[in-house]
Amino acid sequence: MMASSSSSSSSLALIWLYHVFLSFRGEDVRKGFLSHVLKEFKSKGINVFIDNEIKRGESVGPELVKAIRHSRVGVVLLSRNYASSSWCLDELVEIMKCREEVGQTVMTIFYNVDPSEVRKQTGDFGKAFDETCVGRTEEVKRAWRQALNDVASIAGYDASNCDNEADLINKVASKVMAVLGFTPSKDFDDFVGIEARIMEIKSKLILQSEEVKVIGIFGPAGIGKTTTARVLYNQLSPYFQFNTFLKNIRGSYEKPCGNDYDLKLNFQKSMLCQIFNKEDIEVRHLGRAQEMLSDKKVLVVLDEVDNWWQLEEMAKQPGWVGPGSIIIITTEDRKLFKALGLGIDHIYEMKYPTSKESLQIFCQYAFGQKSPDQGFESLAREVTWLAGDLPLGLRVMGSYLRGMSRDGWIEALPWLRSTLDREIESTLRFSYNALRDNERTLFLHLACLFAGIKVDRFKRYFANSSLEVNHGLEVLAQKSLIFIEYGLIQMHRLLQQIGREIVKKQSMEEPGRRQFLMDTKEISHVLDEDTA
């Protein structure tokens, strides 16, 4: 649950379950205006409760009263037929009561209805109201009239006075955010394609749910898993009083030889200290995380997980976090999710950007804009191709070339074609270094000789070898080092370059001592000199 509001002394005892309770008449706004409002709220990380899922009876029940009373802001979308629903009018009475009693902020939007008609119950709005009043007691009618008069007296947003509905909705959302006291980070607004990724992942989350949700994000190194998780964390963290982002777990908590018990304790201590913002939390046993978190709604991001042991204790204790918690895990190894027993609906596979998106990403770093400068068009496309649509490669190569003249670019291209930048190499090589000898051998064969080969043909080549080909290919695929498409084994061109660099460094001076030869000049030299 979210932290208590401090805007009103009378509301200190309340826990805000939702940012906004939205009251509306569905037949007037559901198909158009409402959907745009909800989309804008969602994109800004605003948690909205709407009563679509609640079975409607004669009057507003305790479930809806709870939702209204535990929402920080009430947004009333007043339309021509709003007063034709006794349910809407009862909601409004409760909202205005909460405004008075617990300091709830109430905002109004007048959609195709004049505020004075709402206040005085005249015109078409008044006719609808009169029809709804038939058979009602004087007490109920008096409460409805008072609520309508009060809500219409609040300075609100009149859609009829606004030429652009999108601007109106944005203003409402911004006002809500100001009331909530948070502004989502804009650090990643310029990241090409990030919004679509985040929307797809968030579509799997129902923030009002009491279930514990575990979201897995996997894909090859350098594709943007950490960036995506960070944006998601920034948008979701306002919903959670307890949250943490544990970055680069594989680099920070490498498994030593022998007993890893102390390492697990240190891992839990680091996580708990960050969640509770304390430095002195003692963790003497592996059940400590569950003791401290089992009744807390928490948001935890475990970034760059590469070993089962890092999640083992938590996975064995499904109740280690409280209801409504969200755990986000990023990894290059899809097999980890199978070990955790997560359903496929919780797993998001990162896709490479399209060619158009890749060019935009590259240009942002090379030119500070989403398109190349005049005269650099063909050069920019070639470098984008060299990066193979990998965001890490696009960023590093773009940053390297930024500020260079066109001649400088032309001179740099041969180096970019044949040499890997240190940052790219260190990031991509991490996955190779974690492989067993069997998988390393297969990786180098594919990188140097066989990328793009048919799976069956590759297996036949090694049928009589001691290599575990079937299992090895599965491991490489699980770790996002290869992918099998249309029966062909494919490998990203930067990973191929990594493999070829590894083989080349086996003997820089004497090519004949290397495991493979790929350069025609070196092959000719070795054969001519018989130095193999």
Short mmCIF file of all heavy atoms in Angstrom, two decimals, residues 235-279:
data_model
loop_
_atom_site.label_atom_id
_atom_site.label_comp_id
_atom_site.label_asym_id
_atom_site.label_seq_id
_atom_site.Cartn_x
_atom_site.Cartn_y
_atom_site.Cartn_z
N GLN A 235 8.45 4.74 -13.26
CA GLN A 235 7.01 4.98 -13.40
C GLN A 235 6.20 4.29 -12.30
O GLN A 235 5.15 4.80 -11.89
CB GLN A 235 6.54 4.51 -14.77
CG GLN A 235 7.06 5.36 -15.93
CD GLN A 235 6.36 5.07 -17.24
OE1 GLN A 235 5.39 4.31 -17.29
NE2 GLN A 235 6.85 5.66 -18.32
N LEU A 236 6.66 3.15 -11.83
CA LEU A 236 5.89 2.38 -10.86
C LEU A 236 6.20 2.75 -9.41
O LEU A 236 5.36 2.60 -8.53
CB LEU A 236 6.14 0.88 -11.04
CG LEU A 236 5.67 0.26 -12.35
CD1 LEU A 236 6.04 -1.22 -12.39
CD2 LEU A 236 4.17 0.42 -12.53
N SER A 237 7.41 3.24 -9.15
CA SER A 237 7.83 3.45 -7.76
C SER A 237 6.93 4.40 -6.96
O SER A 237 6.82 4.23 -5.74
CB SER A 237 9.29 3.92 -7.70
OG SER A 237 9.50 5.07 -8.48
N PRO A 238 6.26 5.41 -7.59
CA PRO A 238 5.36 6.24 -6.78
C PRO A 238 4.22 5.46 -6.13
O PRO A 238 3.61 5.93 -5.18
CB PRO A 238 4.82 7.26 -7.80
CG PRO A 238 5.87 7.36 -8.84
CD PRO A 238 6.40 5.96 -8.96
N TYR A 239 3.92 4.26 -6.65
CA TYR A 239 2.85 3.45 -6.07
C TYR A 239 3.30 2.71 -4.82
O TYR A 239 2.49 2.11 -4.11
CB TYR A 239 2.36 2.38 -7.05
CG TYR A 239 1.87 2.86 -8.38
CD1 TYR A 239 1.92 2.02 -9.49
CD2 TYR A 239 1.35 4.12 -8.55
CE1 TYR A 239 1.46 2.43 -10.73
CE2 TYR A 239 0.89 4.55 -9.79
CZ TYR A 239 0.95 3.69 -10.86
OH TYR A 239 0.49 4.11 -12.08
N PHE A 240 4.61 2.68 -4.57
CA PHE A 240 5.14 1.79 -3.53
C PHE A 240 5.94 2.58 -2.50
O PHE A 240 6.84 3.34 -2.84
CB PHE A 240 6.07 0.73 -4.17
CG PHE A 240 5.37 -0.20 -5.12
CD1 PHE A 240 5.15 0.17 -6.44
CD2 PHE A 240 4.91 -1.43 -4.69
CE1 PHE A 240 4.51 -0.68 -7.32
CE2 PHE A 240 4.27 -2.29 -5.57
CZ PHE A 240 4.06 -1.91 -6.88
N GLN A 241 5.61 2.35 -1.24
CA GLN A 241 6.37 2.97 -0.17
C GLN A 241 7.75 2.32 -0.05
O GLN A 241 8.74 2.97 0.30
CB GLN A 241 5.62 2.83 1.15
CG GLN A 241 6.31 3.51 2.33
CD GLN A 241 5.53 3.37 3.62
OE1 GLN A 241 4.48 2.71 3.65
NE2 GLN A 241 6.02 3.98 4.68
N PHE A 242 7.82 1.02 -0.38
CA PHE A 242 9.08 0.28 -0.26
C PHE A 242 9.52 -0.19 -1.65
O PHE A 242 8.78 -0.92 -2.32
CB PHE A 242 8.90 -0.93 0.67
CG PHE A 242 8.39 -0.56 2.04
CD1 PHE A 242 7.05 -0.72 2.35
CD2 PHE A 242 9.24 -0.02 2.98
CE1 PHE A 242 6.56 -0.37 3.60
CE2 PHE A 242 8.77 0.34 4.24
CZ PHE A 242 7.43 0.17 4.55
N ASN A 243 10.70 0.25 -2.07
CA ASN A 243 11.16 -0.12 -3.41
C ASN A 243 12.67 -0.04 -3.50
O ASN A 243 13.31 0.69 -2.73
CB ASN A 243 10.51 0.78 -4.48
CG ASN A 243 10.70 2.25 -4.19
OD1 ASN A 243 11.79 2.79 -4.36
ND2 ASN A 243 9.64 2.93 -3.74
N THR A 244 13.25 -0.78 -4.44
CA THR A 244 14.68 -0.70 -4.68
C THR A 244 15.01 -1.22 -6.07
O THR A 244 14.27 -2.04 -6.63
CB THR A 244 15.49 -1.50 -3.64
OG1 THR A 244 16.89 -1.27 -3.85
CG2 THR A 244 15.22 -3.00 -3.77
N PHE A 245 16.13 -0.74 -6.61
CA PHE A 245 16.63 -1.18 -7.91
C PHE A 245 18.05 -1.71 -7.67
O PHE A 245 18.98 -0.94 -7.45
CB PHE A 245 16.66 0.01 -8.89
CG PHE A 245 16.95 -0.37 -10.32
CD1 PHE A 245 15.96 -0.30 -11.29
CD2 PHE A 245 18.21 -0.82 -10.70
CE1 PHE A 245 16.22 -0.64 -12.61
CE2 PHE A 245 18.48 -1.17 -12.01
CZ PHE A 245 17.48 -1.08 -12.97
N LEU A 246 18.21 -3.05 -7.66
CA LEU A 246 19.52 -3.67 -7.46
C LEU A 246 20.16 -3.89 -8.82
O LEU A 246 19.78 -4.80 -9.56
CB LEU A 246 19.36 -5.00 -6.72
CG LEU A 246 18.98 -4.90 -5.24
CD1 LEU A 246 18.69 -6.28 -4.68
CD2 LEU A 246 20.08 -4.23 -4.43
N LYS A 247 21.12 -3.05 -9.19
CA LYS A 247 21.68 -3.08 -10.53
C LYS A 247 22.88 -4.02 -10.63
O LYS A 247 23.59 -4.25 -9.65
CB LYS A 247 22.06 -1.68 -10.98
CG LYS A 247 23.13 -1.01 -10.14
CD LYS A 247 23.40 0.39 -10.66
CE LYS A 247 24.51 1.07 -9.82
NZ LYS A 247 24.80 2.43 -10.31
N ASN A 248 23.08 -4.55 -11.83
CA ASN A 248 24.24 -5.36 -12.17
C ASN A 248 24.56 -6.41 -11.11
O ASN A 248 25.68 -6.48 -10.58
CB ASN A 248 25.47 -4.47 -12.40
CG ASN A 248 26.62 -5.24 -13.02
OD1 ASN A 248 26.42 -6.26 -13.68
ND2 ASN A 248 27.84 -4.77 -12.80
N ILE A 249 23.58 -7.25 -10.83
CA ILE A 249 23.77 -8.28 -9.80
C ILE A 249 24.88 -9.25 -10.18
O ILE A 249 25.67 -9.66 -9.34
CB ILE A 249 22.44 -9.02 -9.56
CG1 ILE A 249 21.48 -8.09 -8.81
CG2 ILE A 249 22.66 -10.31 -8.77
CD1 ILE A 249 20.09 -8.63 -8.64
N ARG A 250 24.97 -9.61 -11.46
CA ARG A 250 25.97 -10.60 -11.86
C ARG A 250 27.39 -10.08 -11.63
O ARG A 250 28.30 -10.84 -11.34
CB ARG A 250 25.79 -10.99 -13.32
CG ARG A 250 26.13 -9.90 -14.32
CD ARG A 250 25.96 -10.39 -15.74
NE ARG A 250 26.34 -9.36 -16.70
CZ ARG A 250 26.22 -9.50 -18.02
NH1 ARG A 250 25.72 -10.61 -18.51
NH2 ARG A 250 26.58 -8.53 -18.82
N GLY A 251 27.58 -8.76 -11.78
CA GLY A 251 28.91 -8.21 -11.57
C GLY A 251 29.21 -7.92 -10.12
O GLY A 251 30.37 -7.87 -9.71
N SER A 252 28.17 -7.73 -9.31
CA SER A 252 28.34 -7.35 -7.90
C SER A 252 28.33 -8.53 -6.95
O SER A 252 28.85 -8.44 -5.84
CB SER A 252 27.24 -6.36 -7.49
OG SER A 252 27.21 -5.25 -8.35
N TYR A 253 27.71 -9.63 -7.38
CA TYR A 253 27.58 -10.78 -6.48
C TYR A 253 28.00 -12.05 -7.20
O TYR A 253 27.22 -12.99 -7.37
CB TYR A 253 26.12 -10.92 -6.01
CG TYR A 253 25.61 -9.70 -5.29
CD1 TYR A 253 24.93 -8.70 -5.99
CD2 TYR A 253 25.82 -9.53 -3.93
CE1 TYR A 253 24.47 -7.56 -5.34
CE2 TYR A 253 25.36 -8.41 -3.27
CZ TYR A 253 24.69 -7.43 -3.98
OH TYR A 253 24.23 -6.31 -3.33
N GLU A 254 29.24 -12.08 -7.68
CA GLU A 254 29.72 -13.26 -8.38
C GLU A 254 29.88 -14.42 -7.39
O GLU A 254 30.36 -14.24 -6.27
CB GLU A 254 31.06 -12.96 -9.06
CG GLU A 254 30.94 -11.93 -10.17
CD GLU A 254 32.26 -11.67 -10.84
OE1 GLU A 254 33.17 -12.51 -10.69
OE2 GLU A 254 32.40 -10.64 -11.51
N LYS A 255 29.49 -15.59 -7.84
CA LYS A 255 29.51 -16.76 -6.96
C LYS A 255 30.93 -17.27 -6.78
O LYS A 255 31.61 -17.57 -7.74
CB LYS A 255 28.63 -17.87 -7.54
CG LYS A 255 28.55 -19.09 -6.64
CD LYS A 255 27.57 -20.11 -7.21
CE LYS A 255 27.50 -21.34 -6.32
NZ LYS A 255 26.54 -22.32 -6.81
N PRO A 256 31.40 -17.39 -5.52
CA PRO A 256 32.74 -17.92 -5.29
C PRO A 256 32.75 -19.44 -5.29
O PRO A 256 31.71 -20.07 -5.33
CB PRO A 256 33.06 -17.39 -3.88
CG PRO A 256 31.72 -17.39 -3.20
CD PRO A 256 30.70 -17.07 -4.27
N CYS A 257 33.92 -20.00 -5.25
CA CYS A 257 34.01 -21.46 -5.09
C CYS A 257 33.60 -21.82 -3.67
O CYS A 257 33.85 -21.09 -2.72
CB CYS A 257 35.44 -21.93 -5.35
SG CYS A 257 35.99 -21.63 -7.05
N GLY A 258 32.98 -22.98 -3.51
CA GLY A 258 32.61 -23.44 -2.18
C GLY A 258 31.27 -22.90 -1.73
O GLY A 258 30.38 -22.63 -2.51
N ASN A 259 31.15 -22.66 -0.42
CA ASN A 259 29.88 -22.29 0.21
C ASN A 259 29.48 -20.87 -0.17
O ASN A 259 30.25 -19.92 0.01
CB ASN A 259 30.04 -22.40 1.73
CG ASN A 259 28.68 -22.36 2.43
OD1 ASN A 259 27.72 -21.85 1.88
ND2 ASN A 259 28.63 -22.90 3.62
N ASP A 260 28.26 -20.70 -0.67
CA ASP A 260 27.80 -19.37 -1.06
C ASP A 260 26.81 -18.80 -0.04
O ASP A 260 26.13 -17.82 -0.32
CB ASP A 260 27.16 -19.40 -2.45
CG ASP A 260 25.97 -20.34 -2.52
OD1 ASP A 260 25.55 -20.85 -1.46
OD2 ASP A 260 25.45 -20.55 -3.63
N TYR A 261 26.75 -19.39 1.15
CA TYR A 261 25.79 -18.97 2.17
C TYR A 261 26.02 -17.50 2.56
O TYR A 261 25.08 -16.70 2.61
CB TYR A 261 25.92 -19.85 3.41
CG TYR A 261 24.88 -19.58 4.48
CD1 TYR A 261 23.59 -20.10 4.37
CD2 TYR A 261 25.19 -18.80 5.59
CE1 TYR A 261 22.64 -19.86 5.36
CE2 TYR A 261 24.24 -18.55 6.57
CZ TYR A 261 22.98 -19.08 6.45
OH TYR A 261 22.04 -18.83 7.42
N ASP A 262 27.29 -17.13 2.81
CA ASP A 262 27.59 -15.75 3.20
C ASP A 262 27.24 -14.77 2.09
O ASP A 262 26.80 -13.65 2.36
CB ASP A 262 29.07 -15.62 3.56
CG ASP A 262 29.41 -16.29 4.88
OD1 ASP A 262 28.47 -16.52 5.67
OD2 ASP A 262 30.59 -16.59 5.11
N LEU A 263 27.46 -15.21 0.85
CA LEU A 263 27.14 -14.34 -0.28
C LEU A 263 25.64 -14.07 -0.35
O LEU A 263 25.19 -12.95 -0.63
CB LEU A 263 27.62 -14.97 -1.58
CG LEU A 263 27.79 -14.02 -2.77
CD1 LEU A 263 28.81 -12.94 -2.46
CD2 LEU A 263 28.22 -14.78 -4.00
N LYS A 264 24.82 -15.09 -0.09
CA LYS A 264 23.37 -14.92 -0.08
C LYS A 264 22.94 -13.96 1.04
O LYS A 264 22.05 -13.13 0.86
CB LYS A 264 22.67 -16.26 0.08
CG LYS A 264 22.81 -17.18 -1.12
CD LYS A 264 22.11 -18.51 -0.85
CE LYS A 264 22.24 -19.45 -2.04
NZ LYS A 264 21.62 -20.76 -1.80
N LEU A 265 23.60 -14.10 2.20
CA LEU A 265 23.30 -13.19 3.31
C LEU A 265 23.62 -11.75 2.92
O LEU A 265 22.83 -10.83 3.19
CB LEU A 265 24.09 -13.59 4.55
CG LEU A 265 23.71 -14.91 5.24
CD1 LEU A 265 24.62 -15.15 6.44
CD2 LEU A 265 22.26 -14.89 5.70
N ASN A 266 24.77 -11.54 2.29
CA ASN A 266 25.16 -10.19 1.88
C ASN A 266 24.20 -9.62 0.84
O ASN A 266 23.88 -8.43 0.84
CB ASN A 266 26.58 -10.20 1.30
CG ASN A 266 27.63 -10.42 2.37
OD1 ASN A 266 27.40 -10.10 3.54
ND2 ASN A 266 28.78 -10.97 2.00
N PHE A 267 23.74 -10.49 -0.05
CA PHE A 267 22.78 -10.08 -1.08
C PHE A 267 21.48 -9.61 -0.44
O PHE A 267 20.94 -8.55 -0.77
CB PHE A 267 22.54 -11.24 -2.04
CG PHE A 267 21.54 -10.95 -3.12
CD1 PHE A 267 21.77 -9.94 -4.04
CD2 PHE A 267 20.36 -11.67 -3.22
CE1 PHE A 267 20.86 -9.67 -5.04
CE2 PHE A 267 19.44 -11.40 -4.21
CZ PHE A 267 19.68 -10.41 -5.12
N GLN A 268 20.97 -10.41 0.52
CA GLN A 268 19.74 -10.02 1.21
C GLN A 268 19.93 -8.74 2.01
O GLN A 268 19.05 -7.87 2.03
CB GLN A 268 19.27 -11.15 2.13
CG GLN A 268 18.60 -12.29 1.41
CD GLN A 268 17.68 -13.09 2.32
OE1 GLN A 268 17.32 -12.65 3.41
NE2 GLN A 268 17.31 -14.28 1.88
N LYS A 269 21.09 -8.61 2.66
CA LYS A 269 21.33 -7.41 3.46
C LYS A 269 21.33 -6.16 2.57
O LYS A 269 20.73 -5.15 2.92
CB LYS A 269 22.66 -7.52 4.19
CG LYS A 269 22.99 -6.28 5.00
CD LYS A 269 24.26 -6.43 5.81
CE LYS A 269 24.51 -5.15 6.62
NZ LYS A 269 25.70 -5.27 7.49
N SER A 270 22.01 -6.25 1.43
CA SER A 270 22.05 -5.12 0.51
C SER A 270 20.65 -4.73 0.06
O SER A 270 20.29 -3.54 0.02
CB SER A 270 22.93 -5.47 -0.70
OG SER A 270 22.93 -4.41 -1.63
N MET A 271 19.84 -5.73 -0.27
CA MET A 271 18.48 -5.46 -0.73
C MET A 271 17.64 -4.82 0.38
O MET A 271 16.95 -3.81 0.15
CB MET A 271 17.82 -6.76 -1.20
CG MET A 271 16.39 -6.58 -1.67
SD MET A 271 15.66 -8.12 -2.27
CE MET A 271 15.58 -9.05 -0.73
N LEU A 272 17.69 -5.37 1.59
CA LEU A 272 16.88 -4.84 2.69
C LEU A 272 17.32 -3.44 3.09
O LEU A 272 16.48 -2.57 3.38
CB LEU A 272 16.95 -5.79 3.88
CG LEU A 272 16.28 -7.16 3.68
CD1 LEU A 272 16.60 -8.09 4.85
CD2 LEU A 272 14.77 -7.00 3.53
N CYS A 273 18.63 -3.20 3.09
CA CYS A 273 19.12 -1.86 3.45
C CYS A 273 18.63 -0.82 2.46
O CYS A 273 18.28 0.31 2.85
CB CYS A 273 20.65 -1.87 3.50
SG CYS A 273 21.34 -2.73 4.93
N GLN A 274 18.60 -1.19 1.18
CA GLN A 274 18.12 -0.23 0.18
C GLN A 274 16.62 -0.02 0.28
O GLN A 274 16.12 1.11 0.15
CB GLN A 274 18.50 -0.72 -1.22
CG GLN A 274 19.99 -0.60 -1.51
CD GLN A 274 20.30 -0.84 -2.97
OE1 GLN A 274 19.58 -0.39 -3.87
NE2 GLN A 274 21.38 -1.57 -3.24
N ILE A 275 15.86 -1.09 0.50
CA ILE A 275 14.40 -0.98 0.58
C ILE A 275 13.99 -0.09 1.75
O ILE A 275 13.10 0.76 1.63
CB ILE A 275 13.75 -2.37 0.70
CG1 ILE A 275 13.87 -3.12 -0.64
CG2 ILE A 275 12.29 -2.26 1.12
CD1 ILE A 275 13.37 -4.55 -0.58
N PHE A 276 14.65 -0.28 2.92
CA PHE A 276 14.27 0.47 4.12
C PHE A 276 15.14 1.70 4.35
O PHE A 276 14.98 2.39 5.35
CB PHE A 276 14.33 -0.45 5.34
CG PHE A 276 13.27 -1.52 5.33
CD1 PHE A 276 13.58 -2.82 4.93
CD2 PHE A 276 11.97 -1.24 5.70
CE1 PHE A 276 12.62 -3.80 4.90
CE2 PHE A 276 11.00 -2.23 5.69
CZ PHE A 276 11.31 -3.52 5.28
N ASN A 277 16.08 1.94 3.40
CA ASN A 277 16.96 3.11 3.48
C ASN A 277 17.70 3.18 4.81
O ASN A 277 17.78 4.22 5.47
CB ASN A 277 16.14 4.40 3.27
CG ASN A 277 17.02 5.59 2.93
OD1 ASN A 277 18.13 5.43 2.42
ND2 ASN A 277 16.54 6.79 3.23
N LYS A 278 18.25 2.04 5.21
CA LYS A 278 19.06 1.94 6.43
C LYS A 278 20.35 1.20 6.11
O LYS A 278 20.41 0.40 5.20
CB LYS A 278 18.29 1.18 7.53
CG LYS A 278 17.04 1.91 8.03
CD LYS A 278 16.38 1.11 9.13
CE LYS A 278 15.14 1.83 9.68
NZ LYS A 278 14.47 1.04 10.74
N GLU A 279 21.38 1.48 6.90
CA GLU A 279 22.67 0.85 6.64
C GLU A 279 22.99 -0.27 7.63
O GLU A 279 23.95 -1.01 7.43
CB GLU A 279 23.78 1.90 6.70
CG GLU A 279 23.67 2.98 5.63
CD GLU A 279 24.81 3.97 5.70
OE1 GLU A 279 25.67 3.80 6.60
OE2 GLU A 279 24.85 4.89 4.87
#
